[in-house]
PDB file of all heavy atoms in Angstrom:
ATOM      1  N   PHE C   9      37.942  -6.783   6.956  1.00 82.00           N
ATOM      2  CA  PHE C   9      36.544  -6.978   7.120  1.00 82.00           C
ATOM      3  C   PHE C   9      35.918  -7.733   5.892  1.00 82.00           C
ATOM      4  O   PHE C   9      35.330  -8.723   5.973  1.00 82.00           O
ATOM      5  CB  PHE C   9      35.808  -5.653   7.330  1.00 82.00           C
ATOM      6  CG  PHE C   9      34.335  -5.760   7.422  1.00 82.00           C
ATOM      7  CD1 PHE C   9      33.752  -6.314   8.595  1.00 82.00           C
ATOM      8  CD2 PHE C   9      33.551  -5.361   6.476  1.00 82.00           C
ATOM      9  CE1 PHE C   9      32.391  -6.435   8.696  1.00 82.00           C
ATOM     10  CE2 PHE C   9      32.083  -5.499   6.523  1.00 82.00           C
ATOM     11  CZ  PHE C   9      31.560  -6.033   7.693  1.00 82.00           C
ATOM     12  N   THR C  11      37.574  -9.321   3.557  1.00 86.00           N
ATOM     13  CA  THR C  11      38.146 -10.623   3.349  1.00 86.00           C
ATOM     14  C   THR C  11      37.413 -11.664   4.159  1.00 86.00           C
ATOM     15  O   THR C  11      37.065 -12.765   3.670  1.00 86.00           O
ATOM     16  CB  THR C  11      39.614 -10.649   3.803  1.00 86.00           C
ATOM     17  OG1 THR C  11      40.192  -9.445   3.315  1.00 86.00           O
ATOM     18  CG2 THR C  11      40.271 -11.788   3.211  1.00 86.00           C
ATOM     19  N   ALA C  15      35.421 -14.677   2.638  1.00 87.00           N
ATOM     20  CA  ALA C  15      35.803 -16.067   2.986  1.00 87.00           C
ATOM     21  C   ALA C  15      34.668 -16.846   3.494  1.00 87.00           C
ATOM     22  O   ALA C  15      34.548 -18.004   3.251  1.00 87.00           O
ATOM     23  CB  ALA C  15      36.905 -15.980   4.082  1.00 87.00           C
ATOM     24  N   ILE C  29      27.136 -29.144   4.225  1.00 87.00           N
ATOM     25  CA  ILE C  29      25.919 -28.437   4.497  1.00 87.00           C
ATOM     26  C   ILE C  29      24.886 -29.031   3.503  1.00 87.00           C
ATOM     27  O   ILE C  29      25.108 -29.161   2.268  1.00 87.00           O
ATOM     28  CB  ILE C  29      26.069 -26.995   4.269  1.00 87.00           C
ATOM     29  CG1 ILE C  29      27.094 -26.375   5.180  1.00 87.00           C
ATOM     30  CG2 ILE C  29      24.646 -26.241   4.490  1.00 87.00           C
ATOM     31  CD1 ILE C  29      27.266 -24.914   5.134  1.00 87.00           C
ATOM     32  N   LYS C  81      17.737 -19.794 -25.075  1.00 95.00           N
ATOM     33  CA  LYS C  81      17.526 -19.641 -26.559  1.00 95.00           C
ATOM     34  C   LYS C  81      18.825 -19.312 -27.202  1.00 95.00           C
ATOM     35  O   LYS C  81      19.054 -19.715 -28.309  1.00 95.00           O
ATOM     36  CB  LYS C  81      16.439 -18.565 -26.813  1.00 95.00           C
ATOM     37  CG  LYS C  81      15.178 -18.804 -26.060  1.00 95.00           C
ATOM     38  CD  LYS C  81      14.169 -19.568 -26.924  1.00 95.00           C
ATOM     39  CE  LYS C  81      12.881 -19.772 -26.085  1.00 95.00           C
ATOM     40  NZ  LYS C  81      11.955 -20.597 -26.742  1.00 95.00           N
ATOM     41  N   GLY C  94      19.282  -7.188 -15.715  1.00 96.00           N
ATOM     42  CA  GLY C  94      19.300  -5.984 -14.849  1.00 96.00           C
ATOM     43  C   GLY C  94      19.020  -4.681 -15.728  1.00 96.00           C
ATOM     44  O   GLY C  94      18.173  -3.880 -15.374  1.00 96.00           O
ATOM     45  N   THR C 150      22.699 -20.505 -10.881  1.00 93.00           N
ATOM     46  CA  THR C 150      22.727 -19.794  -9.638  1.00 93.00           C
ATOM     47  C   THR C 150      23.251 -20.732  -8.507  1.00 93.00           C
ATOM     48  O   THR C 150      22.690 -21.821  -8.297  1.00 93.00           O
ATOM     49  CB  THR C 150      21.303 -19.334  -9.296  1.00 93.00           C
ATOM     50  OG1 THR C 150      20.821 -18.594 -10.348  1.00 93.00           O
ATOM     51  CG2 THR C 150      21.300 -18.586  -7.954  1.00 93.00           C
ATOM     52  N   ASN C 173      23.987  12.107  -2.091  1.00 94.00           N
ATOM     53  CA  ASN C 173      23.138  13.094  -2.576  1.00 94.00           C
ATOM     54  C   ASN C 173      21.842  12.528  -3.086  1.00 94.00           C
ATOM     55  O   ASN C 173      20.691  12.974  -2.718  1.00 94.00           O
ATOM     56  CB  ASN C 173      23.795  13.900  -3.688  1.00 94.00           C
ATOM     57  CG  ASN C 173      23.115  15.230  -3.996  1.00 94.00           C
ATOM     58  OD1 ASN C 173      22.383  15.753  -3.106  1.00 94.00           O
ATOM     59  ND2 ASN C 173      23.293  15.708  -5.231  1.00 94.00           N
ATOM     60  N   ILE C 181      12.104  14.090  -0.860  1.00 95.00           N
ATOM     61  CA  ILE C 181      10.889  13.956  -1.605  1.00 95.00           C
ATOM     62  C   ILE C 181       9.783  13.311  -0.775  1.00 95.00           C
ATOM     63  O   ILE C 181       8.681  13.731  -0.736  1.00 95.00           O
ATOM     64  CB  ILE C 181      11.067  13.310  -2.977  1.00 95.00           C
ATOM     65  CG1 ILE C 181      12.043  14.057  -3.865  1.00 95.00           C
ATOM     66  CG2 ILE C 181       9.740  12.947  -3.652  1.00 95.00           C
ATOM     67  CD1 ILE C 181      12.401  13.368  -5.147  1.00 95.00           C
ATOM     68  N   ILE C 193      14.971  20.585  -6.633  1.00 95.00           N
ATOM     69  CA  ILE C 193      15.036  19.135  -7.009  1.00 95.00           C
ATOM     70  C   ILE C 193      14.011  18.820  -8.064  1.00 95.00           C
ATOM     71  O   ILE C 193      12.771  19.134  -7.960  1.00 95.00           O
ATOM     72  CB  ILE C 193      14.784  18.222  -5.877  1.00 95.00           C
ATOM     73  CG1 ILE C 193      15.884  18.374  -4.764  1.00 95.00           C
ATOM     74  CG2 ILE C 193      14.513  16.796  -6.175  1.00 95.00           C
ATOM     75  CD1 ILE C 193      15.555  17.725  -3.469  1.00 95.00           C
ATOM     76  N   MET C 200      12.232   8.855 -11.199  1.00 92.00           N
ATOM     77  CA  MET C 200      12.428   7.901 -12.269  1.00 92.00           C
ATOM     78  C   MET C 200      13.754   7.225 -12.023  1.00 92.00           C
ATOM     79  O   MET C 200      13.823   5.964 -12.327  1.00 92.00           O
ATOM     80  CB  MET C 200      12.381   8.567 -13.565  1.00 92.00           C
ATOM     81  CG  MET C 200      10.913   8.771 -14.051  1.00 92.00           C
ATOM     82  SD  MET C 200      10.748  10.014 -15.346  1.00 92.00           S
ATOM     83  CE  MET C 200      11.651   9.164 -16.667  1.00 92.00           C
ATOM     84  N   SER C 227       2.869 -17.242 -13.828  1.00 91.00           N
ATOM     85  CA  SER C 227       2.003 -17.119 -12.601  1.00 91.00           C
ATOM     86  C   SER C 227       2.857 -17.015 -11.373  1.00 91.00           C
ATOM     87  O   SER C 227       2.278 -16.832 -10.245  1.00 91.00           O
ATOM     88  CB  SER C 227       1.074 -18.263 -12.518  1.00 91.00           C
ATOM     89  OG  SER C 227       1.697 -19.487 -12.360  1.00 91.00           O
ATOM     90  N   THR C 250      18.896  -2.323   6.781  1.00 94.00           N
ATOM     91  CA  THR C 250      18.968  -3.381   7.789  1.00 94.00           C
ATOM     92  C   THR C 250      17.706  -4.109   7.881  1.00 94.00           C
ATOM     93  O   THR C 250      17.611  -5.349   7.955  1.00 94.00           O
ATOM     94  CB  THR C 250      19.406  -2.839   9.191  1.00 94.00           C
ATOM     95  OG1 THR C 250      20.383  -1.787   9.025  1.00 94.00           O
ATOM     96  CG2 THR C 250      19.977  -3.909  10.051  1.00 94.00           C
ATOM     97  N   LEU C 266       8.396 -23.314   9.663  1.00 88.00           N
ATOM     98  CA  LEU C 266       7.017 -23.691   9.899  1.00 88.00           C
ATOM     99  C   LEU C 266       6.417 -24.610   8.871  1.00 88.00           C
ATOM    100  O   LEU C 266       5.219 -25.055   8.965  1.00 88.00           O
ATOM    101  CB  LEU C 266       6.164 -22.432  10.024  1.00 88.00           C
ATOM    102  CG  LEU C 266       6.379 -21.497  11.220  1.00 88.00           C
ATOM    103  CD1 LEU C 266       5.480 -20.245  11.153  1.00 88.00           C
ATOM    104  CD2 LEU C 266       6.289 -22.193  12.603  1.00 88.00           C
ATOM    105  N   TRP C 272      -1.946 -24.954   8.759  1.00 86.00           N
ATOM    106  CA  TRP C 272      -1.880 -23.938   9.883  1.00 86.00           C
ATOM    107  C   TRP C 272      -0.691 -23.016   9.716  1.00 86.00           C
ATOM    108  O   TRP C 272      -0.684 -22.012  10.450  1.00 86.00           O
ATOM    109  CB  TRP C 272      -1.860 -24.670  11.211  1.00 86.00           C
ATOM    110  CG  TRP C 272      -3.220 -25.272  11.449  1.00 86.00           C
ATOM    111  CD1 TRP C 272      -3.569 -26.631  11.197  1.00 86.00           C
ATOM    112  CD2 TRP C 272      -4.345 -24.608  11.888  1.00 86.00           C
ATOM    113  NE1 TRP C 272      -4.913 -26.807  11.398  1.00 86.00           N
ATOM    114  CE2 TRP C 272      -5.462 -25.571  11.881  1.00 86.00           C
ATOM    115  CE3 TRP C 272      -4.687 -23.382  12.292  1.00 86.00           C
ATOM    116  CZ2 TRP C 272      -6.790 -25.307  12.239  1.00 86.00           C
ATOM    117  CZ3 TRP C 272      -6.029 -23.041  12.699  1.00 86.00           C
ATOM    118  CH2 TRP C 272      -7.041 -23.966  12.628  1.00 86.00           C
ATOM    119  N   LEU C 286       1.751  -4.930  15.381  1.00 93.00           N
ATOM    120  CA  LEU C 286       1.020  -4.264  16.519  1.00 93.00           C
ATOM    121  C   LEU C 286       2.042  -3.819  17.630  1.00 93.00           C
ATOM    122  O   LEU C 286       1.836  -2.732  18.241  1.00 93.00           O
ATOM    123  CB  LEU C 286      -0.023  -5.155  17.141  1.00 93.00           C
ATOM    124  CG  LEU C 286      -1.287  -5.424  16.279  1.00 93.00           C
ATOM    125  CD1 LEU C 286      -2.219  -6.362  17.032  1.00 93.00           C
ATOM    126  CD2 LEU C 286      -1.967  -4.153  15.915  1.00 93.00           C
TER     127      LEU C 286
END
Side-chain angles (χ1 to χ4, degrees):
Chain C
F9 177 74
T11 318
I29 300 182
K81 307 266 178 185
T150 303
N173 196 23
I181 293 174
I193 292 170
M200 280 165 63
S227 62
T250 321
L266 294 178
W272 290 95
L286 289 182

